[in-house]
Amino acid sequence: MVLASGLGGAFPVLANSFPAKVPVPADNPMTPQKVALGKQLYFDPRLSLSGDFSCDTCHRVMGNGSDGLPLSFGVMGRVDVPRHTPTVYNAAFNTVQFWDGRAKSLEDQAKGPLMNPVEMGMPNAKAIVDRLEQIPGYRKEFGLVFGQKDSISLEHVVQAIATYERTLITPDSPYDRYMAGDKKAMNTAAVAGMHDLHTMGCAACHAGMMFDNPGTKMGTGFFQKFPLQAHNQECVAYVHKYDLDKDPGRFNVTKNPADEHDFKVPSLRNVALRAPYFHNGSVASLPTAVRIMAACQLGKSLSDKQVHDIVAFLGDLTGKFPKETMPRLPQTPGKAIMMQVAKLETASEALNNPK
Amino acid sequence: MVLASGLGGAFPVLANSFPAKVPVPADNPMTPQKVALGKQLYFDPRLSLSGDFSCDTCHRVMGNGSDGLPLSFGVMGRVDVPRHTPTVYNAAFNTVQFWDGRAKSLEDQAKGPLMNPVEMGMPNAKAIVDRLEQIPGYRKEFGLVFGQKDSISLEHVVQAIATYERTLITPDSPYDRYMAGDKKAMNTAAVAGMHDLHTMGCAACHAGMMFDNPGTKMGTGFFQKFPLQAHNQECVAYVHKYDLDKDPGRFNVTKNPADEHDFKVPSLRNVALRAPYFHNGSVASLPTAVRIMAACQLGKSLSDKQVHDIVAFLGDLTGKFPKETMPRLPQTPGKAIMMQVAKLETASEALNNPK
């Protein structure tokens, strides 16, 4: 089904449903055992400096895959997390990870928060491995998944976590059912909104099966400047109100002035559940976010009907979340707990006062 | 089966296996819908001031029901939580709750951390109700569980959480199988340790099906002074090393000098998984905890064999943990998120600078 039109016909075709398979890197094949280990690690607060902060603390699997806060708190109450937490759901389909695309894969992404002093705060890879080596259950499970000897490494930790994350996908939205032939799956407003999305130019960026890139390859990333139409009158007001021009975005990664204020285009899947919006989590409502996108990216002002229709369509991009069982986490022996606590103060001090 | 002996025959009989039913208060009957709602609330970080801290943050259902830390961190990095977090597993069988027994039921207990400034930090009951009222999914679910109109109240919140907690029980330990007739379920050392537990006097307090009280009624509580044999030479050294005499215990609740250093006797179920030990979480290893109990409560010094046998027995008190499915948490609309965040700074300031 080809819906592309408008904007000189230059933007790509809307792919027609949720991907049949999740992309899996050749060097990290999925196995049920690796998924199970990755799930344990994902929910394990011992992967943080304080021992009470897991991947799930910010990327809530039981919720929308983020924590619903504009900006998350970091380990031990840190309040300097700079950007809104993206959802883990469907992150497996992102061509790059983080708002500024600084990781090429889920594996690379997972290393970031683990060792970021304002997130999980582990000082280095060795500290992570040391922590897990203290837990006999993990020594055994890493051995079974990755080989029998010395299997606990940062690479294996992030491979397991990424493997679990590849199961966190949400197929079967009303839109997918509509595209599969069930014309009752979306109402008239949503269908009108879907057409608006294309005729107005949103799909220049929000294209493809995940509505986040026009055919970009995994690991490459699709970026866009935000705000792009910074001189549009309506946009100027939004930028001022929501503080939208403060973050240098991808420039921080490349140091190329052309990348200033460039961000990875986020997927529109489940966007109706993902308030608050944008890299700084500053915008509460989806209708406002849609108006901001139109003004600041397309230089267009939307009618109330257009906003209503587009929001109706975006609501129909909410998929079905997987039914998850809880992992059981292996036990830390008492002695190892006390060693961790003794190190905590030193490590915390070092992180807060880097040399 | 009667094992009582020693200590003048004055201490009670060991009951013979894990309770067949969990005690349920007449005014809070269990229903599957209430369990499901309680599970959502238990895992919901929006019940904390910061929105990132749930019951489960300290009482980890995926682990041993505590967080394995000597002392937990509170909301927003608070480091002044005064006592070690007790496990939620089998808490349904506790005759009273908290180390100092200040709550008579799971329902009463749940109110404590929610509104404790150093734990979840909600300023008052109204703030909790307001937060949940913003979430349409909860308005609907509370209505279905508790009645159709204005069903969100602090009482209903804690009733639902307590109802879920009554499902977090761990039957079928090797000891229970042994007592049910499977004489191979415990080895010789464990059987010897079981007899030691009785002949030496441990069971004066660690009695009953949960090994935490000699027949005390629900809501009454069974307390013991710790250290009880404070002048025993071996105990003096432990008290000094592990800082065991600083906490006034139940005195803080009753203001009765006779209750100074009194603590609720904890269950021995799953104790092998529950390091670190005691009200201040100061002792890493179970063998050391056993020696401290013998010296400080019974005035006795144990042989290495006695410690080995008792630890073997305690290991056989580890039951089977339930297989849990994850709840799905209902969505907060964006506007409500922003209201919460705007209130956060004010509330946080008020909590940290009480009038």
Side-chain angles (χ1 to χ4, degrees):
Chain A
M1 185 171 180
V2 177
L3 288 167
S5 64
L7 209 74
F11 65 87
V13 170
L14 180 71
N16 57 8
S17 72
F18 199 87
K21 310 197 280 190
V22 75
V24 178
D27 61 355
N28 188 22
M30 287 182 83
T31 66
Q33 293 75 17
K34 206 189 285 175
V35 170
L37 174 59
K39 188 195 275 190
Q40 289 176 304
L41 295 168
Y42 188 93
F43 282 93
D44 200 325
R46 292 169 294 188
L47 285 173
S48 66
L49 180 65
S50 58
D52 76 339
F53 200 97
S54 70
C55 304
D56 187 70
T57 302
C58 294
H59 300 280
R60 298 264 170 189
V61 168
M62 299 178 199
N64 64 4
S66 173
D67 56 9
L69 299 171
L71 299 174
S72 301
F73 294 88
V75 69
M76 301 172 83
R78 296 283 296 240
V79 293
D80 42 1
V81 174
R83 292 187 184 128
H84 178 64
T85 299
T87 181
V88 69
Y89 279 103
N90 302 321
F93 300 106
N94 291 348
T95 53
V96 287
Q97 306 291 341
F98 294 116
W99 282 99
D100 57 17
R102 68 185 181 276
K104 288 191 173 182
S105 65
L106 286 174
E107 286 81 356
D108 279 353
Q109 188 280 334
K111 293 179 192 173
L114 284 169
M115 294 182 284
N116 187 328
V118 309
E119 300 187 32
M120 295 169 81
M122 293 299 270
N124 50 50
K126 182 172 180 302
I128 295 167
V129 172
D130 284 354
R131 186 75 68 91
L132 295 174
E133 286 281 4
Q134 302 295 333
I135 304 169
Y138 277 135
R139 283 205 302 273
K140 185 178 165 192
E141 288 172 50
F142 274 84
L144 291 172
V145 171
F146 292 105
Q148 288 306 316
K149 207 168 146 41
D150 298 332
S151 290
I152 302 183
S153 65
L154 179 62
E155 290 306 323
H156 287 164
V157 168
V158 300
Q159 283 188 351
I161 291 173
T163 300
Y164 170 57
E165 290 174 338
R166 292 194 173 96
T167 69
L168 298 176
I169 62 173
T170 66
D172 200 19
S173 68
Y175 163 77
D176 294 313
R177 294 200 295 277
Y178 180 90
M179 295 305 272
D182 175 8
K183 296 303 170 197
K184 290 179 184 168
M186 300 206 305
N187 66 18
T188 314
V191 172
M194 177 171 72
H195 285 278
D196 286 346
L197 201 84
H198 289 83
T199 52
M200 293 193 346
C202 313
C205 298
H206 292 292
M209 293 184 284
M210 305 311 289
F211 297 86
D212 64 345
N213 79 79
T216 310
K217 281 186 192 167
M218 294 296 286
T220 313
F222 184 73
F223 301 90
Q224 187 50 276
K225 215 167 285 300
F226 175 52
L228 183 62
Q229 310 283 346
H231 300 293
N232 173 283
Q233 277 300 315
E234 193 179 334
C235 180
V236 168
Y238 290 134
V239 166
H240 180 72
K241 181 170 183 185
Y242 298 109
D243 223 18
L244 295 175
D245 61 350
K246 294 293 183 293
D247 188 329
R250 188 159 171 75
F251 171 77
N252 280 356
V253 182
T254 64
K255 306 298 174 194
N256 178 351
D259 293 334
E260 205 155 14
H261 305 304
D262 266 26
F263 294 94
K264 181 189 60 157
V265 173
S267 169
L268 298 181
R269 296 274 180 183
N270 306 318
V271 70
L273 304 182
R274 281 176 20 220
Y277 298 102
F278 303 134
H279 59 275
N280 62 354
S282 61
V283 173
S285 92
L286 188 54
T288 305
V290 167
R291 285 189 191 278
I292 292 173
M293 281 282 107
C296 291
Q297 302 307 96
L298 305 172
K300 290 181 180 175
S301 191
L302 301 184
S303 72
D304 289 351
K305 180 181 185 307
Q306 284 170 318
V307 173
H308 174 267
D309 291 348
I310 291 171
V311 167
F313 173 62
L314 294 176
D316 283 346
L317 291 177
T318 299
K320 289 197 178 144
F321 287 74
K323 288 194 165 88
E324 292 279 308
T325 56
M326 293 188 202
R328 293 279 324 147
L329 304 187
Q331 186 70 5
T332 307
K335 197 177 158 191
I337 293 171
M338 303 317 253
M339 282 166 49
Q340 286 164 25
V341 171
K343 285 181 184 173
L344 179 57
E345 208 169 313
T346 322
S348 170
E349 187 144 323
L351 278 168
N352 288 295
N353 302 295
K355 280 170 195 164
Chain B
M1 182 173 184
V2 178
L3 286 168
S5 64
L7 210 73
F11 64 86
V13 170
L14 181 73
N16 59 6
S17 73
F18 198 88
K21 309 196 281 191
V22 75
V24 178
D27 61 354
N28 189 21
M30 287 182 83
T31 65
Q33 294 76 16
K34 205 189 284 175
V35 170
L37 174 59
K39 187 194 277 190
Q40 289 175 304
L41 295 168
Y42 188 93
F43 282 93
D44 199 325
R46 291 169 294 186
L47 285 173
S48 65
L49 180 65
S50 58
D52 77 340
F53 200 96
S54 71
C55 304
D56 188 68
T57 301
C58 294
H59 300 280
R60 296 265 169 187
V61 168
M62 298 177 198
N64 65 2
S66 172
D67 55 9
L69 299 171
L71 299 174
S72 301
F73 294 88
V75 69
M76 301 170 83
R78 295 284 295 238
V79 292
D80 42 2
V81 174
R83 294 187 184 127
H84 178 64
T85 299
T87 180
V88 69
Y89 279 103
N90 302 321
F93 299 106
N94 291 348
T95 52
V96 288
Q97 306 292 339
F98 294 115
W99 282 100
D100 56 18
R102 67 185 183 275
K104 289 190 175 183
S105 65
L106 286 174
E107 286 80 357
D108 279 353
Q109 189 281 333
K111 292 178 191 172
L114 284 169
M115 292 182 284
N116 187 328
V118 308
E119 299 187 32
M120 296 169 79
M122 293 298 271
N124 50 49
K126 183 172 179 302
I128 295 167
V129 172
D130 284 354
R131 186 77 66 91
L132 295 174
E133 286 281 5
Q134 302 295 332
I135 304 169
Y138 278 135
R139 283 206 301 275
K140 184 178 166 194
E141 288 172 49
F142 274 83
L144 292 172
V145 171
F146 293 105
Q148 287 306 316
K149 205 168 148 34
D150 297 333
S151 290
I152 301 183
S153 66
L154 179 62
E155 291 307 321
H156 287 164
V157 167
V158 299
Q159 283 187 352
I161 290 173
T163 300
Y164 170 57
E165 290 174 337
R166 292 193 173 96
T167 70
L168 297 176
I169 63 174
T170 66
D172 201 18
S173 68
Y175 163 76
D176 295 314
R177 294 200 296 276
Y178 180 89
M179 294 305 271
D182 176 4
K183 296 304 171 195
K184 291 181 185 165
M186 300 206 305
N187 67 17
T188 315
V191 172
M194 178 171 71
H195 285 277
D196 286 345
L197 200 84
H198 290 82
T199 52
M200 294 194 342
C202 312
C205 298
H206 292 293
M209 293 184 284
M210 305 311 288
F211 298 85
D212 64 344
N213 78 80
T216 311
K217 281 186 192 165
M218 294 295 287
T220 313
F222 184 73
F223 300 91
Q224 187 50 275
K225 213 166 286 300
F226 175 51
L228 182 61
Q229 309 283 346
H231 300 294
N232 173 283
Q233 276 300 318
E234 193 179 334
C235 180
V236 167
Y238 290 135
V239 166
H240 180 73
K241 182 169 182 184
Y242 298 109
D243 223 20
L244 295 174
D245 61 350
K246 295 294 184 295
D247 188 328
R250 188 158 171 75
F251 172 78
N252 280 355
V253 182
T254 64
K255 304 298 174 193
N256 178 352
D259 293 336
E260 205 154 13
H261 305 305
D262 266 25
F263 294 94
K264 181 189 60 157
V265 173
S267 169
L268 297 181
R269 296 275 181 182
N270 306 319
V271 70
L273 303 182
R274 279 171 26 215
Y277 298 102
F278 303 134
H279 58 274
N280 62 356
S282 60
V283 174
S285 91
L286 187 54
T288 304
V290 168
R291 285 188 191 277
I292 292 172
M293 281 282 107
C296 291
Q297 303 307 98
L298 305 172
K300 291 182 182 172
S301 191
L302 301 183
S303 71
D304 287 353
K305 180 181 186 305
Q306 284 170 319
V307 172
H308 175 266
D309 291 349
I310 291 170
V311 168
F313 173 62
L314 294 176
D316 282 346
L317 291 177
T318 299
K320 289 197 177 146
F321 287 74
K323 290 196 164 90
E324 294 278 308
T325 56
M326 293 188 202
R328 292 283 320 150
L329 305 186
Q331 185 71 8
T332 308
K335 195 177 161 190
I337 294 172
M338 302 319 252
M339 282 167 50
Q340 287 164 24
V341 172
K343 285 180 184 176
L344 178 58
E345 206 168 316
T346 320
S348 170
E349 186 143 327
L351 278 168
N352 287 297
N353 302 293
K355 280 172 194 160

